[in-house]
Amino acid sequence: MKQKNSKSVHVLIACGGTGGHLFPGIAVGEVLASRGHDVTLLISEKKIDTLAASGHKDLRFEKMPFLAMPRPWSPKMFGFLKGLWQGTKACRKIIRDHDVKVVLGMGGFTSFAPLYAGRKEGCRTIIHESNAIPGKANRLNARYSDIVLCGLDACKGHFPKHGDVRVVGTPIRSSMKQQNNGDDPREFFKLDKDKRTLLIMGGSQGARGVNRAVGTALDQFEKMGIQVLHIAGPTDYEEVRDVYAKVPLLKQHVAAFCHRMDLAYRVADLAVARSGASSMSELAYFGVPSLLVPYPHAAEDHQTRNAEIFDKAGAAKLMRESDLNADTLSDAVRAVFNDARKAGDMKKAAQKLAVKNSAEKIAELVVKEADKAGLKAKA
């Protein structure tokens, strides 16, 4: 329930482009809104942003013509610069119209224009980096930010020249933290109550390499007597669905996107997933053992660095996509499902890595920074 707040502030949160930026931004926006503050979330024009935003009718979203920065001499550079100029102009208007005091960027080039605009308009500016290694965008964004927030301690050292760097974890949406409210996860996904469940997820946009490797191992999963909940992503959904149709004896639920990931995590005994920071934070929150398959083309191989942290802690097993096939995948799944002690230890290790109040920490910081901006404006 939204609280009344006589000292309400307006916060601009730039969080579009990928689920790893969008969902943590939504999480902070939800906390701020619940405490009576006004929030505008800036998202990109990508389909995933629109799809995710549709599940949060209580929040205000604005689409911006943001594009990833191309190579310096790429013909796409003109479109990027045009979108940057338009985005900066639109952000400055939003800041003036709503008396925005703080701009929070959740990472990527979608955060640059809002942060730059915020700095020009006298706002307090903050960025959040979820990954173990910051990308080029956030290294640039840090120059226009008063505070740098990190999801993982390993990231902190990558901002040596910044005067204010803090580790706060990666925010998790409130929908993840809600109680079941009587919803039975197995019934929701039409799964058997007496079978162990393998959750396959590739992040907000799917993972073709993982999807296809899983497809080769379905016969072996069926022989293990397990069931599969597979979130394939919009692009690969039809292909994945057709592959599962060839193994009718395997209990399965295949979907393009899942608005009830809280139930998906609750039903999962083991997950096969990419190692984006947002997904890993959710796996840790729910204590789900995992087989992490880093996206091999991620900037600076940051997903491998993320996965290494969980692997070293005993919460997950890191698996290279190049090594993924029917045998290696089924062997790894079998090793966890056939060893209750190993599964229990992985679950406990994952839970120890969780930062459950990250969104609240960031929301409190944002409000404090808004007060500083207000005092500066009066001076």
Side-chain angles (χ1 to χ4, degrees), residues 80-141:
F80 169 75
L81 293 174
K82 181 180 178 181
L84 183 63
W85 179 81
Q86 291 175 335
T88 301
K89 183 178 179 181
C91 288
R92 295 189 75 166
K93 185 176 188 305
I94 291 173
I95 290 170
R96 292 169 182 169
D97 289 349
H98 297 284
D99 192 26
V100 171
K101 292 291 189 291
V102 179
V103 177
L104 171 63
M106 300 307 295
F109 281 103
T110 55
S111 292
F112 178 74
L115 288 166
Y116 181 75
R119 178 57 64 94
K120 287 293 184 180
E121 294 295 328
C123 300
R124 297 292 289 176
T125 52
I126 306 170
I127 60 166
H128 182 274
E129 174 58 63
S130 299
N131 297 298
I133 299 177
K136 293 179 181 178
N138 258 358
R139 294 185 190 198
L140 175 63
N141 291 336

Side-chain angles (χ1 to χ4, degrees), residues 11-29 32 39-43 66 103-112 114-115 125-131 134-135 137-138 141 145 147 149-151 168-172 277-278 358-359 362-363 366:
V11 180
L12 198 60
I13 302 179
C15 58
T18 71
H21 298 148
L22 181 61
F23 296 133
I26 288 174
V28 177
L32 288 167
V39 183
T40 297
L41 294 104
L42 302 181
I43 60 176
F66 296 137
V103 177
L104 171 63
M106 300 307 295
F109 281 103
T110 55
S111 292
F112 178 74
L115 288 166
T125 52
I126 306 170
I127 60 166
H128 182 274
E129 174 58 63
S130 299
N131 297 298
N138 258 358
N141 291 336
S145 302
I147 302 173
L149 304 178
C150 299
V168 295
T170 294
I172 295 173
S278 185
S358 177
I362 296 175
V366 164

Side-chain angles (χ1 to χ4, degrees), residues 3 58 62 70 106 113 158 165 252-253 256-257 274 307 318 323 331:
Q3 301 174 358
D58 54 329
E62 293 277 354
M106 300 307 295
H158 290 279
V165 183
Q252 59 195 255
H253 180 95
F257 188 82
R274 287 298 196 201
L318 191 163
D323 297 329
D331 286 347

Side-chain angles (χ1 to χ4, degrees), residues 38-50:
D38 295 315
V39 183
T40 297
L41 294 104
L42 302 181
I43 60 176
S44 75
E45 296 174 332
K46 287 185 178 181
K47 183 178 179 180
I48 180 61
D49 287 25
T50 301

Side-chain angles (χ1 to χ4, degrees), residues 6 36 61 73 88 199 206 217 221 224 246 255 267 275 283 319 324 370:
S6 59
F61 293 89
W73 305 111
T88 301
L199 169 64
F221 292 162
M224 288 183 213
K246 298 175 183 178
V267 80
S275 45
L283 289 166
M319 301 185 73
L324 214 59

Side-chain angles (χ1 to χ4, degrees), residues 251-305:
K251 189 67 177 180
Q252 59 195 255
H253 180 95
V254 182
F257 188 82
C258 181
H259 279 295
R260 290 303 305 271
M261 281 304 299
D262 59 312
L263 296 181
Y265 287 122
R266 292 183 197 281
V267 80
D269 296 293
L270 175 67
V272 177
R274 287 298 196 201
S275 45
S278 185
S279 294
M280 290 173 60
S281 296
E282 292 168 359
L283 289 166
Y285 181 86
F286 287 94
V288 180
S290 57
L291 306 177
L292 297 176
V293 186
Y295 177 54
H297 306 296
E300 300 188 47
D301 202 21
H302 69 262
Q303 286 206 7
T304 297
R305 304 287 86 79

